[in-house]
Amino acid sequence: MSPRKFFVGGNWKMNGDKNSLGELINVLNNAKLSPDTEVVCGAPSIYLDYARSKLDSKIGVAAQNCYKVAKGAFTGEISPAMIKDCGVEWVILGHSERRHVFGESDELIGQKVAHALESGLGVIACIGEKLDEREAGITEKVVFAQTKVIADNVKDWSKVVIAYEPVWAIGTGKTASPQQAQEVHEKLRQWLATNVSEAVANSARIIYGGSVTGATCKELASQKDVDGFLVGGASLKPEFVDIINAHA
């Protein structure tokens, strides 16, 4: 058995309203969830308070982004301090949509990671290559560079989960094969061993994201270096329960 606790995050993205999210929360609260899996739901910032107050306390809540300082003249942004004030203990940073739709740089993501961790939040840090990068054979180069910027800003690895999300597999219905996922996860773990420490490489959870569904989750979960999932669309459906229990 891996010493690493299986971790399943649901990224609701910009979806839902109080009615539909309330129904989903009801399903999760009443489902039989594996006690061996840590579950965290990433709610839109406007619903963080709502999600935290309604979800069973054994299910964590994450913000989907935050800024790199505690407060100030940054219209439209939220800070780790505000996230914590809502009783929320996690934040997703560096998601490919933040990188590629909103143009966030590696440097900015690194600064956000540092500030979120200093503020006491857990960080789900996302990395991943685009299709043209995979086809050009530079997957490792891209994900190692992204990981390095994150690693340079981490003092306490117990609060960090790395989410490997091949951009070509997000919301496209294409999933990396279990072998493709395992291969990158294993290389990432080797990178951590070489560049951070053997202990961190063994303890850090590396989760997979990219069109994970109830149908694909079991085989992905069986891979040695896949420690869980960051789930997009399927996290808004009842099948999210099956994905949470994929490792059970």
Side-chain angles (χ1 to χ4, degrees), residues 12-241:
W12 296 347
K13 304 191 181 181
M14 196 178 75
N15 291 298
D17 52 28
K18 283 186 180 173
N19 189 26
S20 65
L21 294 177
E23 286 173 16
L24 176 64
I25 287 167
N26 233 358
V27 168
L28 293 173
N29 286 349
N30 291 305
K32 197 163 165 20
L33 304 180
S34 165
D36 300 326
T37 298
E38 185 169 358
V39 183
V40 173
C41 293
S45 58
I46 199 164
Y47 297 133
L48 284 172
D49 219 348
Y50 178 76
R52 184 60 287 168
S53 65
K54 298 282 186 199
L55 269 168
D56 189 299
S57 62
K58 69 175 184 285
I59 300 173
V61 177
Q64 296 173 12
N65 192 25
C66 68
Y67 198 49
K68 62 179 180 179
V69 292
K71 61 182 198 302
F74 303 103
T75 302
E77 291 289 335
I78 62 170
S79 70
M82 294 170 175
I83 293 166
K84 285 187 71 180
D85 195 34
C86 292
V88 170
E89 46 293 296
W90 288 91
V91 63
I92 301 169
L93 291 172
H95 192 278
S96 67
E97 288 151 9
R98 298 303 318 171
R99 293 175 188 269
H100 303 306
V101 180
F102 300 101
E104 291 190 10
S105 66
D106 278 351
E107 186 192 15
L108 175 60
I109 291 159
Q111 291 166 335
K112 289 181 177 194
V113 167
H115 180 60
L117 290 170
E118 279 157 15
S119 307
L121 285 179
V123 171
I124 301 167
C126 304
I127 57 173
E129 82 283 12
K130 301 201 298 250
L131 185 58
D132 58 344
E133 293 166 335
R134 175 163 279 263
E135 287 173 344
I138 56 168
T139 293
E140 278 173 56
K141 185 176 161 220
V142 171
V143 297
F144 290 169
Q146 291 171 344
T147 306
K148 182 181 185 329
V149 178
I150 290 161
D152 287 347
N153 287 286
V154 176
K155 292 187 184 79
D156 178 4
W157 280 92
S158 69
K159 306 279 286 187
V160 179
V161 173
I162 294 175
Y164 168 60
E165 299 201 297
V167 182
W168 48 272
I170 298 176
T172 57
K174 286 183 186 160
T175 312
S177 70
Q179 293 69 32
Q180 283 173 317
Q182 166 59 23
E183 190 184 342
V184 177
H185 283 228
E186 188 176 9
K187 296 238 171 73
L188 282 166
R189 210 173 292 289
Q190 288 164 356
W191 187 94
L192 288 171
T194 306
N195 295 279
V196 183
S197 74
E198 196 72 49
V200 165
N202 289 329
S203 64
R205 291 176 291 184
I206 306 174
I207 63 176
Y208 171 76
S211 299
V212 177
T213 64
T216 59
C217 62
K218 270 257 189 274
E219 201 187 344
L220 281 162
S222 70
Q223 304 300 311
K224 183 165 84 73
D225 290 295
V226 175
D227 303 316
F229 305 116
L230 186 56
V231 186
S235 70
L236 292 157
K237 302 175 186 155
E239 73 182 285
F240 188 46
V241 173

